[in-house]
């Protein structure tokens, strides 16, 4: 890729609503990320999943009861989108955080990949990671809890 096309690509990503962009061609890899537009996890109440019956009759859909943990304390950081969760920036790298790590507001906790875009999940709180609720490479849903910060 020549310099002129690279500059146009950077400008196009900068002007768009994208938070990240990856491109690979003939062994050349480009990964662009906008720091000011990073997606941050927010504290939310995760709705109970719905169990679908074998038939597609909407009246047969029953909510699944989830038992909350009795001693679970802290604030949840949930996925702001549907995608694949990654605990580290690459396969060879150490995870962003582990249980017991102190984190500050704005610190990256993980990544959710959606449509080939890497969306950094940032802590909304200062505190300690008390639980990591998903596994590396796991598919996650919108509003699904990812971390508990105590």
């Amino acid at each position: 890729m020549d310099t002129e096309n690279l500059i146009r690509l950077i400008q196009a990503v900068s002007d768009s609503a994208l938070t990240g962009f990856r491109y690979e061609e003939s062994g050349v890899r480009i990964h662009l990320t906008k720091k000011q537009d990073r997606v941050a996890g927010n504290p939310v109440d995760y709705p109970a999943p719905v169990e679908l019956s074998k038939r597609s009759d909407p009246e047969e859909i029953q909510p699944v009861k989830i038992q909350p943990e009795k001693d679970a304390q802290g604030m949840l950081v949930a996925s702001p989108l549907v995608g694949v969760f990654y605990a580290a920036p690459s396969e060879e790298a150490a995870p962003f955080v582990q249980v017991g790590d102190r984190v500050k507001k704005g610190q990256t906790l993980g990544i959710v990949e959606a449509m080939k875009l890497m969306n950094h999940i940032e802590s909304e709180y200062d505190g300690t990671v008390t639980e990591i609720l998903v596994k590396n490479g796991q598919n996650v849903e919108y509003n699904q809890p990812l971390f508990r910060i105590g």
Side-chain angles (χ1 to χ4, degrees), residues 57-72:
D57 184 0
E59 293 182 15
E60 291 188 19
I61 297 174
Q62 301 295 323
V64 176
K65 302 288 184 191
I66 296 178
Q67 298 298 324
E69 296 179 40
K70 293 178 181 171
D71 295 329

Side-chain angles (χ1 to χ4, degrees), residues 29-75:
R29 294 181 186 178
I30 298 171
H31 181 192
L32 305 172
T33 304
K34 291 196 288 191
K35 291 183 180 181
Q36 71 275 14
D37 289 335
R38 284 192 175 169
V39 176
N42 294 317
V44 295
D45 291 326
Y46 184 65
V50 174
E51 185 176 294
L52 298 176
S53 70
K54 292 180 183 173
R55 292 187 276 165
S56 59
D57 184 0
E59 293 182 15
E60 291 188 19
I61 297 174
Q62 301 295 323
V64 176
K65 302 288 184 191
I66 296 178
Q67 298 298 324
E69 296 179 40
K70 293 178 181 171
D71 295 329
Q73 296 181 352
M75 300 300 294

Side-chain angles (χ1 to χ4, degrees), residues 7-144:
I7 291 170
R8 274 191 274 171
L9 181 61
I10 292 169
Q11 188 63 46
V13 171
S14 295
D15 293 342
S16 74
L18 296 174
T19 59
F21 177 79
R22 283 185 184 237
Y23 177 80
E24 184 174 344
E25 180 182 358
S26 303
V28 174
R29 294 181 186 178
I30 298 171
H31 181 192
L32 305 172
T33 304
K34 291 196 288 191
K35 291 183 180 181
Q36 71 275 14
D37 289 335
R38 284 192 175 169
V39 176
N42 294 317
V44 295
D45 291 326
Y46 184 65
V50 174
E51 185 176 294
L52 298 176
S53 70
K54 292 180 183 173
R55 292 187 276 165
S56 59
D57 184 0
E59 293 182 15
E60 291 188 19
I61 297 174
Q62 301 295 323
V64 176
K65 302 288 184 191
I66 296 178
Q67 298 298 324
E69 296 179 40
K70 293 178 181 171
D71 295 329
Q73 296 181 352
M75 300 300 294
L76 291 176
V77 176
S79 178
L81 55 137
V82 175
V84 179
F85 173 79
Y86 294 107
S90 69
E91 291 180 22
E92 304 83 29
F96 288 106
V97 295
Q98 296 179 345
V99 172
D101 286 355
R102 297 272 313 147
V103 294
K104 294 188 180 279
K105 184 176 180 176
Q107 180 176 339
T108 299
L109 302 173
I111 294 173
V112 173
E113 176 186 8
M115 297 178 61
K116 304 288 184 193
L117 296 176
M118 302 300 175
N119 299 279
H120 291 253
I121 307 303
E122 296 178 347
S123 177
E124 288 293 313
Y125 319 99
D126 292 337
T128 302
V129 177
T130 58
E131 280 185 276
I132 300 175
L133 303 167
V134 292
K135 294 180 181 175
N136 189 50
Q138 180 179 334
N139 290 328
V140 295
E141 297 293 326
Y142 172 73
N143 272 351
Q144 180 176 347

